Amino acid sequence: MPQDACLCIDLRMAAQKLTQIYDQVMAPSGITVTQFSQLHLIQTLAGPTLKELAGASQLDRSTLGRNIRVLEKQGLVTAKVGADARTRTINLTRKGRQTFKRAAPLWHGVQSQLKERLGKDARLQLDAFLATLTTPLAANKEGNP
């Protein structure tokens, strides 16, 4: 790999490959790892608003809204008008809870295998590297990072 390779592109490619690994293992559940993560957050936050879910998932509201509509079409979540007509609360349906329950052991299995492959020390290093790379850069006088 060339020294001047783009860190962002390299990390995105690695993330895409990891996503493919998770998705392949989780395919029997009928959902992707991204959908699993969203169902987990909805369950954990117990009926969050779109705004709360966007903050917790670090997704912008328009992307999250599209993702929620897909989960609604699959019958996994409901989005209902909240206490205020401007808010919508998201809840798992019975099918959503069952799907999440079916997917959880698959996710745990692939997660365990990958953590074992990486090892504890490398995992700690990875966490440190990612924290370092995702800390905002200070701008120079020209306004460039």
Side-chain angles (χ1 to χ4, degrees):
M1 183 176 306
Q3 281 188 324
D4 61 345
C6 178
L7 290 172
C8 183
I9 297 303
D10 290 346
L11 284 170
R12 287 175 61 99
M13 288 173 57
Q16 288 172 343
K17 288 178 184 176
L18 268 177
T19 299
Q20 289 172 353
I21 291 169
Y22 276 87
D23 286 351
Q24 286 174 346
V25 171
M26 295 181 68
S29 71
I31 59 172
T32 66
V33 69
T34 302
Q35 292 169 325
F36 176 80
S37 174
Q38 290 171 345
L39 293 178
H40 181 260
L41 270 177
I42 293 165
Q43 179 176 294
T44 301
L45 296 173
T49 63
L50 273 176
K51 183 178 179 180
E52 291 167 340
L53 193 56
S57 65
Q58 296 187 0
L59 290 173
D60 64 77
R61 286 176 66 178
S62 63
T63 299
L64 182 62
R66 285 190 300 274
N67 293 349
I68 294 301
R69 283 190 291 282
V70 169
L71 294 174
E72 278 183 294
K73 287 178 184 174
Q74 292 177 315
L76 302 175
V77 301
T78 59
K80 296 182 180 176
V81 175
D84 170 335
R86 296 172 294 172
T87 62
R88 293 175 61 195
T89 58
I90 313 301
N91 289 285
L92 296 184
T93 62
R94 181 178 182 163
K95 181 180 177 184
R97 288 189 299 276
Q98 291 170 341
T99 299
F100 180 81
K101 189 174 182 178
R102 191 170 52 251
L106 299 172
W107 179 88
H108 282 290
V110 70
Q111 178 80 355
S112 293
Q113 287 180 34
L114 291 172
K115 283 173 70 175
E116 186 176 315
R117 180 189 293 178
L118 193 55
K120 185 178 179 181
D121 290 341
R123 173 61 195 255
L124 293 172
Q125 286 181 328
L126 176 62
D127 290 344
F129 291 147
L130 293 173
T132 298
L133 287 173
T134 57
T135 301
L137 300 173
N140 64 21
K141 290 180 183 178
E142 289 81 36
N144 297 319

